[in-house]
Amino acid sequence: MTTSAPVRRPGLRDFYEDPAVPVASGTPRSLRQARMLAAALGPATEGAKTVLDIGCGDGTAAATAAPLLAGHRLVGVDWSQDALRRAHARLPYAVRGELSDGGLPFAAESADAVLFSEVIEHLVDPDSALDEIRRVLRPGGHLMLSTPNLAAWYNRALLLAGVQPVFSEVSLRAIHGRPGKEVVGHLRLYTARALREFVAASGFEVVQLRGAPFHGVPRPLRPLDRLACAVPSASSILLLHARRT
């Protein structure tokens, strides 16, 4: 009698190793976030600072930010070997690291700033992730976090109509009940209020919260999406700047 080996089903790690999975919400968000960070750090003539881009993916967002952070040390960090191979083509430094399973490969209080761009919505344990980020940041160090907004202006209308909100997902295999065609693996979503409270409870002082547009909004609605950025709580993407206490 022979038995067949059990079928291995793809897990979250396999999903995020897939190069076809989208990793960012567009260049406008990256530029807005980079400008916030550049203003917070100041010019490198006052001393080069170390910036960790945690969850750098293929390095696109960090490469977009690099010209605004000239003179500062920008280090990409990701656990995906495939992402790091691609990031090496865009960044001078890209290293493997995780927010769990032993933590990041950096000493305590060794970084001046952390870019955390559209990562937190993918995490099973965001609390431990912010604990680890706080560990590697120097006191007063900057956290620049971005994430999709559950309460984006169009999501409010969709919920009233009984439609699953954009950015939320019920499956890793297909889209069900919401607009869009791409599965992106979001596990958690935040409103502006929830994000502020969560980050503050994790040992950070929230400095500001701004909004950014989302490239996936249909073209006729993009002017409205840009206008919504003036009210961060209704914008597509939340950009939060906090400092380690």
Side-chain angles (χ1 to χ4, degrees):
M1 177 180 178
T2 60
T3 58
S4 59
V7 176
R8 179 182 177 275
R9 296 190 180 278
L12 274 175
R13 285 184 177 269
D14 301 281
F15 178 81
Y16 292 123
E17 285 282 6
D18 183 353
V21 174
V23 294
S25 63
T27 300
R29 186 276 299 164
S30 299
L31 282 172
R32 289 183 184 221
Q33 192 173 29
R35 292 187 187 111
M36 291 170 67
L37 178 56
L41 290 179
T45 53
E46 299 176 5
K49 303 294 195 302
T50 298
V51 180
L52 307 180
D53 182 6
I54 298 177
C56 67
D58 64 5
T60 300
T64 300
L68 299 176
L69 302 173
H72 295 300
R73 292 181 292 271
L74 186 56
V75 182
V77 185
D78 209 289
W79 63 262
S80 167
Q81 296 288 8
D82 178 74
L84 288 174
R85 281 192 291 271
R86 290 178 284 156
H88 274 296
R90 297 183 172 97
L91 301 174
Y93 307 105
V95 301
R96 191 178 188 282
E98 298 195 42
L99 289 163
S100 58
D101 297 331
L104 297 167
F106 304 102
E109 301 183 3
S110 60
D112 298 285
V114 165
L115 275 170
F116 202 44
S117 303
E118 297 179 43
V119 177
I120 199 167
E121 64 270 16
H122 299 276
L123 300 180
V124 173
D125 186 0
D127 303 270
S128 294
L130 285 197
D131 288 345
E132 181 63 3
I133 288 172
R134 190 174 186 277
R135 181 188 70 81
V136 301
L137 276 174
R138 295 188 175 99
H142 304 278
L143 169 63
M144 295 290 174
L145 185 157
S146 64
T147 192
N149 183 10
L150 176 61
W153 59 275
Y154 39 82
N155 279 345
R156 301 180 189 211
L158 290 173
L159 277 170
L160 285 174
V163 177
Q164 186 84 7
V166 175
F167 308 124
S168 66
E169 294 183 328
V170 298
S171 170
L172 291 178
R173 300 177 183 176
I175 296 298
H176 299 290
R178 72 158 173 84
K181 299 179 180 178
E182 296 177 327
V183 178
V184 291
H186 291 171
L187 304 179
R188 299 181 182 277
L189 289 175
Y190 299 79
T191 63
R193 179 175 178 177
L195 186 64
R196 281 179 174 273
E197 291 183 4
F198 172 62
V199 171
S202 300
F204 293 86
E205 176 189 2
V206 176
V207 177
Q208 64 174 322
L209 183 70
R210 298 178 61 186
F214 173 48
H215 69 85
V217 170
R219 189 173 297 276
L221 297 178
R222 289 180 186 176
L224 184 57
D225 192 43
R226 289 192 292 270
L227 285 174
C229 294
V231 184
S233 61
S235 65
S236 284
I237 308 294
L238 300 172
L239 304 178
L240 182 137
H241 172 203
R243 300 191 70 175
R244 180 195 187 279
T245 56

